[in-house]
Amino acid sequence: MTTPILRTDGLTVRFGGLLAVNDVSLTCEKGQLTGLIGPNGAGKTTFIDAVTGFLPDNASGDVLLEGQSISGLAPHVLAHQGLSRTWQTLELFDDISVRANLGVASERLTVGGAVRDFFRPSARHDRVAEVLEQLEMTDIADRQPRELSQGQRKMVGVARALVASTTKILLLDEPAAGLDKNETQWFGDQLRALVDDGYTMLLIDHDMGLVLRVCDHIHMLVFGELITSGTPEQMRSDPEVIAAYLGRSAGDS
Ligand SMILES: Nc1ncnc2c1ncn2[C@@H]1O[C@H](COP(=O)(O)OP(=O)(O)O)[C@@H](O)[C@H]1O
Ligand SMILES: [Mg+2]
């Protein structure tokens, strides 16, 4: 087996007496879309926050990126090493173009990036153009986010995360929140296409329909614990999954 892009080994996050993430060991394989599901408060966002280095005082256990321990490294260092993320709240600059929104993201690079730009100023623009093309957003590149549909705005958020570094894995925290059924479907197809193009992603969502439809492998957290993992087919008939989402059929969104 190849080394997973991302692996946690006994990842635990405590907030005072609360165990928000409890001894979670899971993997995200290269070239796959991995889903992370679970009811509200299950610890999904906290998991991403810990993996991306935002909870140094609360987290314990190990996190490995391509087999190398990255525990304790600062968020900007991790971003530079290829760990990209989106946030649960999408904040775009509404008064500047899509292209400029991506340019701003790429400027959040480190000193190293700035030095590289100094020697090769076109590198940043190349990367923005490349991502715009990959996400088939070239035709909306000069429009402002305010003119776009909700689904397109969410894709700008994804594009921004991809531009920010040489992404090894993109961690998406409920990127489809607020989208209607059609937009969610379209958005899911876009993510799937990016993964089929070679990107590796972890998708957090409480929309079971979306996760079951687009992911290769799924992990479920309940009260901070990894309860079960499997393919969409396995998850559909898993009693733990059915119990956690009682009253909603697993095919619903
Ligand atoms: N900064 C924090 N301080 C204290 N408790 C927190 C903090 N962040 C999250 N929590 C708690 O940790 C648990 C998991 O939250 P969260 O990761 O946001 O869940 P999810 O994203 O699955 O809805 C919840 O009980 C939440 O109230
Ligand atoms: Mg959350």
Side-chain angles (χ1 to χ4, degrees), residues 15 18 20 38-47 55 88 173-174 204:
F15 296 115
L18 177 78
N40 261 335
K44 305 181 299 294
T45 297
T46 304
F47 177 85
L55 296 171
Q88 211 162 346
D173 193 359
E174 301 210 18
I204 287 188

Side-chain angles (χ1 to χ4, degrees), residues 217-236:
H217 197 83
I218 299 162
H219 302 289
M220 187 172 79
L221 293 182
V222 177
F223 293 122
E225 280 187 64
L226 181 66
I227 296 293
T228 188
S229 305
T231 63
E233 292 68 36
Q234 290 165 336
M235 297 301 266
R236 264 194 197 96

Side-chain angles (χ1 to χ4, degrees), residues 235-248:
M235 297 301 266
R236 264 194 197 96
S237 55
D238 188 314
E240 300 277 10
V241 178
I242 294 166
Y245 285 84
L246 205 66
R248 299 173 59 187

